[in-house]
Amino acid sequence: MYLEPRPGIAWPSPHLRELRDTVRALLGLDDDTAIVIRQLACGELGYPPLETVVEVLPMDGGIHRWTLRRPADEITEHCLRATLLHRWPI
C-alpha cells in the first residue's frame, strides 16, 4: 500500500529524509526508534533565523534532543556526527 500525504500537508523533503537516515545510521538506531527533525524559526538575538531540532524517541521512553543553529538544508553528515555523537548515551 502506498501512502500519500493528505491535501494541504507537506511531505518531508528528500533532504530531511536523508538527515533522518543519517541520524539512524550514526546512532545505530533500530526501525522502532522514532526520529523527528523539525526546522523552526529562531527569534533569539545573534542566532540565525532558522534552526533545526533533532529528536530521538526510543520505544523504552526518554527523549534525546539536539538543536543545530542552522537551517536543515545546511546540515551535513559531518555536522550531525560532530553534534550527535558528542552527547549520545552509550
Side-chain angles (χ1 to χ4, degrees), residues 12-23:
S13 74
H15 184 67
L16 288 179
R17 279 183 260 155
E18 183 180 319
L19 290 177
R20 182 197 62 215
D21 293 343
T22 300
V23 169

Side-chain angles (χ1 to χ4, degrees), residues 59-73:
M59 289 293 287
D60 60 2
I63 296 176
H64 306 282
R65 181 178 295 125
W66 298 266
T67 300
L68 294 94
R69 302 282 184 175
R70 62 185 67 192
D73 62 351

